[in-house]
Amino acid sequence: MIEHNHKAYTAQKKAVIKEFEEHFGLAPFWLVAAPSRVNLIGEHIDYCDGFVLPLAINRYVMIAAAPNGTSQANLLSTLFPDEPATVPLDEPPEAGEPYWANYIRGVFDGFREKGFWPLPGFDALVHSTIPLGAGLSSSAAIEVAAATVVEGLLGIDINPKNKARLCQRAEHKFAGVPCGIMDQFASIFAEKDHLTLIDCRSEEVQSIPFADDSVEIIIADTQVQHELSDGSYSNRRKQTEIALSILGKKSWREVSMEELEAAKNEMSDVVFRRARHVVSEIDRTQKAAMALARGKTHEVGELMAASHRSLRDDFEVSCRELDIMVDAAWAIGQEGGVLGSRMTGGGFGGSTVTIARADKAEAVMDEMSRRYKEETGIEPHIFATRAVDGVRLEEL
Ligand code: ADP
Ligand code: MG
């Protein structure tokens, strides 16, 4: 059986405090931990008024911070030790070098836009256990962590939905990624032992109990990222917009599969398939949330499989490595302890999410790893997680 304890969290916290002290020569004042997330189902529909069903996972961006009495932020990330950043807090932030700091500059700019300007100067050390570009949204975690540090600095709590939107805006404007709201919402609203059902049209958030000890959530990072991902994301988003305008609807929630089928000849095959993914995935996500709310975890497997096929064939955002990893889990099957498996996140590489029986989880992870390595020659990074709490700020 897989043991879930708090050791890694505590060790990371100690490490980030120590690194802050070594680098800045004083003790930090605040410690913020913002979790990564994995989406169980509801992919590429957050920007289509759909539903998403993420959980926060046991990987974190942590930031240790303290006021420095100046008018600038001194930022250091242990992932980019040779690229410290100094950001003035009394003039409008602009994207620049180092690139990684843009996510934080964007957050500062969000506060400026809300009238919180200039900000008081501070020092911050960023430390993360989230693999970058693995579809686990390290970008949202760093934004949410930074926004929470600024709240600490100002002694305020902004409305959590506004905070999520502020972080999303940072990603749009300062990283050039037109992401939906899922990742930031998940990192903020997640609750331990719960899934977070987000209605991306109304932005309503609902926690669904998910404390079933008989299953494990397994995340398998394929360790590949394909370069085309950036342009392809906005391209998919555009295609869904084209489809919606051909359908003459304001929202995907008003589109039934029958209506889409009826309009098939009015759109190109590609646009039709993109639309079919959106309509079917919205339906699958609602069904999965209902099944899980009733404790029927085993009913989710077929929905996850259909989601993967739809992302692979209709939305075309999977890739060879993701398919191999998912096929490996499917091949292990129910008898081997796999309840469901699919790609997760934006695609073109990144990770898969698998629900496995707890008593077989370790064997499932070993077998997925073995099969994946055999077919790709790549050593994957596979780990199990429970649903953890969203962002936390601690005064030290
Ligand atoms: P994902 O969100 O799937 O991990 P993205 O490409 O959206 O991938 O975001 C990754 C980028 O976010 C990194 O290249 C880096 O610029 C920034 N980032 C994330 N975590 C950190 C960190 N701990 N320190 C510095 N930059 C980070
Ligand atoms: Mg991201």
Side-chain angles (χ1 to χ4, degrees):
M1 293 293 254
I2 289 164
E3 252 189 75
H4 292 275
N5 57 36
H6 227 54
K7 271 192 207 145
Y9 185 95
T10 314
Q12 188 184 357
K13 205 174 125 176
K14 274 198 188 139
V16 61
I17 291 172
K18 183 163 167 272
E19 282 154 2
F20 181 96
E21 288 170 350
E22 281 172 8
H23 189 75
F24 293 109
L26 74 162
F29 214 82
W30 299 285
L31 189 281
V32 168
S36 162
R37 64 93 190 98
V38 69
N39 190 22
L40 210 54
I41 192 161
E43 213 66 74
H44 275 283
I45 53 171
D46 58 343
Y47 52 81
C48 292
D49 278 350
F51 294 91
V52 293
L53 193 58
L55 57 134
I57 68 170
N58 57 11
R59 293 289 186 280
Y60 299 86
V61 166
M62 289 194 189
I63 301 184
N68 64 14
T70 73
S71 56
Q72 64 188 36
N74 300 317
L75 312 171
L76 185 78
S77 167
T78 52
L79 290 179
F80 303 97
D82 302 329
E83 299 178 54
T86 301
V87 183
L89 299 172
D90 51 2
E91 52 191 75
E94 278 175 26
E97 294 295 326
Y99 177 82
W100 71 266
N102 285 340
Y103 295 84
I104 299 182
R105 291 187 188 100
V107 166
F108 294 159
D109 193 57
F111 280 91
R112 185 193 58 78
E113 195 221 23
K114 291 194 179 302
F116 297 105
W117 203 258
L119 296 175
F122 70 102
D123 297 335
L125 194 124
V126 183
H127 180 290
S128 176
T129 51
I130 310 172
L132 300 186
L136 300 175
S137 208
S138 66
S139 57
I142 193 171
E143 291 150 13
V144 168
T148 308
V149 167
V150 175
E151 284 181 304
L153 202 64
L154 294 172
I156 58 164
D157 282 319
I158 56 175
N159 170 297
K161 285 186 184 172
N162 291 339
K163 179 170 157 184
R165 289 185 203 107
L166 182 155
C167 292
Q168 179 198 27
R169 175 185 175 276
E171 184 136 356
H172 285 199
K173 298 211 158 184
F174 282 70
V177 182
C179 59
I181 56 162
M182 167 170 67
D183 302 346
Q184 293 79 7
F185 264 54
S187 191
I188 291 172
F189 286 99
E191 282 184 55
K192 187 174 186 287
D193 293 335
H194 288 76
L195 302 169
T196 307
L197 177 68
I198 304 165
D199 178 335
C200 301
R201 178 164 66 168
S202 65
E203 298 194 343
E204 195 186 321
V205 177
Q206 198 185 328
S207 286
I208 296 185
F210 188 70
D212 185 349
D213 279 345
S214 69
V215 299
E216 292 285 350
I217 300 283
I218 293 169
I219 293 164
D221 175 2
T222 61
Q223 306 273 28
V224 302
Q225 275 169 278
H226 293 286
E227 284 308 321
L228 65 164
S229 60
D230 272 1
S232 304
Y233 186 95
S234 37
N235 160 285
R236 293 300 183 284
R237 201 173 165 147
K238 271 196 210 101
Q239 289 167 332
T240 64
E241 283 161 13
I242 292 168
L244 195 63
S245 75
I246 293 173
L247 289 159
K249 300 279 188 177
K250 281 209 178 64
S251 167
W252 282 105
R253 296 279 277 284
E254 298 162 9
V255 183
S256 68
M257 195 54 95
E258 292 70 34
E259 284 168 312
L260 175 62
E261 292 283 353
K264 188 172 180 179
N265 294 332
E266 293 167 37
M267 51 187 89
S268 69
D269 174 59
V270 169
V271 169
F272 172 74
R273 285 185 290 114
R274 304 297 188 251
R276 184 163 60 190
H277 169 72
V278 174
V279 175
S280 63
E281 186 80 353
I282 288 176
D283 180 54
R284 282 187 291 269
T285 307
Q286 285 176 290
K287 285 188 175 136
M290 278 190 285
L292 288 161
R294 286 185 283 113
K296 308 240 182 246
T297 311
H298 61 276
E299 287 179 12
V300 179
E302 185 40 46
L303 295 166
M304 289 174 80
S307 170
H308 185 78
R309 288 191 296 264
S310 178
L311 288 158
R312 183 189 64 193
D313 304 334
D314 277 354
F315 219 63
E316 295 181 282
V317 290
S318 188
C319 64
R320 178 172 170 265
E321 293 85 359
L322 283 168
D323 291 342
I324 288 172
M325 191 70 90
V326 167
D327 282 339
W330 287 351
I332 297 166
Q334 292 250 2
E335 312 80 66
V338 170
L339 303 184
S341 188
R342 57 181 283 277
M343 61 158 275
T344 186
F348 307 107
S351 303
T352 72
V353 59
T354 301
I355 305 181
R357 269 177 38 198
D359 58 344
K360 302 257 174 125
E362 265 173 297
V364 166
M365 288 160 74
D366 288 348
E367 182 61 7
M368 282 170 70
S369 180
R370 191 190 66 75
R371 282 177 189 251
Y372 181 75
K373 205 173 155 189
E374 194 176 276
E375 284 197 53
T376 63
I378 303 166
E379 185 83 54
H381 173 220
I382 303 185
F383 60 97
T385 184
R386 284 283 154 90
V388 305
D389 275 322
V391 66
R392 290 287 175 271
L393 173 116
E394 252 184 82
E395 247 175 54
L396 299 169

